[in-house]
Every structure is written in C-alpha cells, then in structure tokens.
C-alpha cells in the first residue's frame, strides 16, 4: 500500500468484502446488492473505515451521485471496470486538446466525408410513427424527412420529453400508446443526480511543482476534483508559459447551494479551496478570469434503480423495431459506466440497425464480466 494513511492490517480487516471484488460476477451483482447503498454494503461486510475511505469512497465522487444513496452493485461494478479487470485498468489517457477538437470534430468530419448530414438546429419534440408497423419514420421538426432507422441517443430529460410528447400525440391509438407506455413505465424509476458545476479559473501564478495535474478531493465537498489544465492541454500550456499564470478547474459535484449567480460560486467554494491549496491564498493569486458551467443531466444510480434501467434494444422489443436507445443511463450486459457506457450502447444501437439491414455488425471491446479471481 503506497498511502501512508493505510496499513496492511486495514486491508486484512476488510477481507469479508474481498469475495465480491475478486469473484465479481456481473450477471448476479445487481440481484445481490442493488438494494443496498455502498455504505450499507461496507457495514454488512465489516469493511475497515480507513480502507473504505481511502480505497473505495474516492471513486464514488466521479459518479456525480450522492454517496449516501448510490447503489452498492453499481459501485462494485465500477471497481471491476476501472481497477480490477486488467493490470492497466487504472491507466488513463487524456487529450492534449479540448475534447471537441480532439474527438468530436474529426469524428464529424469523417462522417461528413461519407455524406452524413448533421442538423443541429431542429430539436426533436416527438416522433412520427407508422401506426401499422410501429416503425419510427420521422419527427415533428422536419415531417418531410423519412427515416429508416432511429437511435435515440440523449439524456434522461430528452428521453422523457420526446416519449411523453409522442404518447400525448398518439393517445387515441391504443396499440401505439400501449407500446410507448411500456417504455415510459420501465424508466419511470430513473432519476437525475444532483446538479453539478465546473468552475474554471485563470490565475496570474502557478501552484508549486509538487502539485498533481489532477487531484481528487472526495472529502472536501463541494470541491470533488481539481485539475491544472495548463499541465493538460496545449492551448493553456502555451498561455501559461507566456504569462506565468495557470488555468485551474474545480469540479463541484452534488451541488447543494441552489441557484446562485456565477459571480458568487468562488466565494462559496474558496474556503474549501483554501483547505486544499492554501498557497493560492497565502501567495495571493489574482483571478484574471473565470467561467462556470452548470449541469443537471447526469443519471442517478441510487439504490434500487437497476430494475428500471433498460437495455439498448428495449424499444425494439417493445414494438418499435427500428428504434434503438443509447446513453449512460442504460444497462449493459457487461461492465460499463459513464462515457464508456454511452459509447458502448451507441455501438450496440448501431449494431441493431446494421442487423436489420443484414450488414455485418461491428465488434465491441468490453471488460470481463468476472473478477480476477485468485491465480
């Protein structure tokens, strides 16, 4: 153990919980533990307090969920996915550019080279459905456009909005409304995680060289993570080298201070930031600029929610054969989470449609559904 706060005895005293990690089984974990929170699981297995706080609890914060209610099954799956499934499972690759320039823009250009058209100015309000076949053949913002296949790749807010609006439109059609209700009822128990904010600040000074590029701070609510972006991305590195300044981002998960102006966010978090990096205040860093992003679209993975989480083919199985689902709020039959789950379900959805057209499906690279066991 590399942490000076953790002794071998702390791990030894947590051995009752090790079978659920070493012999993890994705096929049974939700039936066993989705009715418990992670804290309840730790108490049941008599996990040592230090072991829980140092090894298990930090990974909880990146889910943007409240630690008091998050599902034990979901978190044990995270352990398998991000730590135990492979010797290099905890290795992370980060882009040296912003995500749009590094990932999204080249992806869009590649698709456009194949003739793909992107329409970013026509929000989908509801679907147009062929009442005889159940096929989704269009949507209201552009009724003249006809679709062969539809992938509904949106967050829970968008899913509820589109499906409920479609249900209202077809309420007189008992067959269509029953099929839509099947999907809506299935996801009725899925909720959103609390709101979160990302506060990016430009300072005139830099932290000392021993400060890590990324620091997780799960016990310093409302600050859960601090990233030095001038050490991560070329654009900010260039600015920092020219000015001697820094670009530091503060991730504020499970925000519990209500609606506040962006101008007040720093005054709320600065006492906590002082505890983590007192040199920002001792050396009198001047904040040259800031930017705040606020969100509330991340799914909750609270205890007991798994039974409401469908697979990507649930819409097709409910009577809409050319409609597939994609997103981080779904369930997969193998360990996945966060962006990986969004990508995996997107590929699953594409494969469903390829299969309908008798086109070879694309392979998925997935994590093992079983723990490492004992060698």
């Amino acid at each position: 153990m590399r942490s000076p706060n953790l002794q071998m005895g702390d791990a030894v005293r947590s051995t009752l919980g090790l079978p659920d990690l070493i012999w993890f089984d994705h096929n049974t974990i939700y039936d066993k533990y989705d009715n418990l929170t992670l804290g309840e699981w730790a108490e049941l297995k008599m996990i040592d307090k230090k072991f829980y706080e140092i090894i298990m609890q930090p990974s909880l914060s990146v889910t943007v969920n409240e630690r008091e209610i998050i599902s034990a099954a979901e978190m044990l799956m995270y352990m398998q996915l991000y730590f135990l499934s492979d010797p290099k499972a905890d290795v992370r690759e980060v882009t040296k550019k912003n995500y749009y320039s590094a990932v999204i823009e080249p992806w869009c250009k590649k698709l456009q080279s194949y003739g793909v058209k992107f329409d970013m100015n026509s929000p989908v309000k509801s679907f147009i459905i062929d009442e005889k076949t159940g096929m989704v053949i269009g949507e209201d913002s552009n009724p003249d456009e006809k679709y062969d296949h539809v992938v509904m790749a949106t967050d829970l807010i968008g899913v509820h909005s589109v499906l409920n609006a479609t249900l209202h439109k077809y309420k007189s059609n008992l067959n269509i409304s029953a099929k839509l209700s099947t999907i809506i009822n299935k996801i009725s128990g899925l909720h959103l995680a609390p709101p979160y904010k990302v506060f990016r600040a430009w300072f005139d000074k830099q932290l000392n060289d021993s400060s890590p590029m990324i620091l997780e701070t799960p016990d310093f609510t409302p600050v859960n993570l601090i990233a030095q972006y001038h050490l991560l991305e070329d654009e900010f590195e260039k600015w920092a080298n020219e000015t001697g300044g820094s670009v530091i981002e503060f991730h504020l998960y499970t925000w519990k201070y209500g609606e506040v102006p962006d101008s007040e966010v720093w005054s709320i978090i600065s006492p906590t930031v002082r505890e983590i990096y007192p040199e920002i205040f001792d050396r009198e860093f001047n904040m040259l600029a800031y930017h705040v992003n606020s969100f509330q679209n991340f799914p909750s993975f609270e205890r007991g929610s798994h039974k409401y989480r469908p697979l990507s083919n649930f819409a097709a199985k409910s009577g809409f054969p050319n409609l597939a689902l994609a997103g981080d709020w779904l369930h997969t039959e193998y360990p996945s989470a966060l962006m990986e789950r969004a990508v995996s379900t997107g590929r699953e959805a594409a494969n469903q449609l390829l299969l309908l057209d008798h086109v070879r499906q694309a392979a998925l690279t997935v994590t093992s559904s079983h723990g490492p066991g004992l060698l």
Side-chain angles (χ1 to χ4, degrees), residues 106-127:
W107 175 71
C108 290
K109 287 182 177 179
K110 182 69 172 179
L111 291 175
Q112 287 171 330
S113 72
Y114 292 126
V116 174
K117 182 180 72 173
F118 290 90
D119 185 353
M120 307 296 290
N121 299 308
S122 302
V124 175
K125 295 180 180 179
S126 66
F127 291 139

Side-chain angles (χ1 to χ4, degrees), residues 6 19 87 99 103 123 137 144 160 183 210 238 291 304 329 346 348-349 356 368 373 375:
L6 192 67
Y99 286 126
V103 180
I137 57 174
D144 295 327
H160 283 293
I183 306 174
S210 65
K238 182 176 183 294
H291 179 76
W329 54 276
E348 286 183 2
L356 288 175
S368 172
L375 297 179

Side-chain angles (χ1 to χ4, degrees), residues 207-268:
L207 294 168
N208 68 75
D209 292 341
S210 65
S211 302
M213 288 188 289
I214 300 174
L215 177 66
E216 290 190 40
T217 57
D219 289 321
F220 287 83
T221 302
V223 181
N224 296 86
L225 182 145
I226 301 176
Q228 298 192 70
Y229 263 76
H230 60 287
L231 303 179
L232 293 170
E233 292 188 2
D234 292 338
E235 176 186 1
F236 299 123
E237 181 183 26
K238 182 176 183 294
W239 178 83
N241 289 338
E242 292 173 351
T243 64
S246 59
V247 183
I248 304 178
E249 195 169 89
F250 303 87
H251 290 209
L252 317 172
Y253 306 146
T254 62
W255 181 260
K256 297 181 179 179
Y257 299 89
E259 294 286 340
V260 299
D262 290 349
S263 59
E264 295 181 13
V265 173
W266 180 249
S267 64
I268 293 173

Side-chain angles (χ1 to χ4, degrees), residues 78-128:
Y78 271 54
M79 295 292 173
Q80 165 70 5
L81 177 62
Y82 293 119
F83 300 106
L84 300 175
S85 58
D86 186 270
K88 297 181 180 180
D90 63 343
V91 174
R92 302 288 180 266
E93 293 184 2
V94 297
T95 65
K96 293 289 287 181
K97 300 178 181 178
N98 64 75
Y99 286 126
Y100 177 79
S101 299
V103 180
I104 297 176
E105 185 178 38
W107 175 71
C108 290
K109 287 182 177 179
K110 182 69 172 179
L111 291 175
Q112 287 171 330
S113 72
Y114 292 126
V116 174
K117 182 180 72 173
F118 290 90
D119 185 353
M120 307 296 290
N121 299 308
S122 302
V124 175
K125 295 180 180 179
S126 66
F127 291 139
I128 299 172

Side-chain angles (χ1 to χ4, degrees), residues 12-28:
V12 171
R13 286 189 291 272
S14 302
T15 53
L16 283 179
L18 292 181
D20 291 329
L21 299 170
I22 297 174
W23 290 285
F24 172 87
D25 186 344
H26 189 72
N27 298 318
T28 61

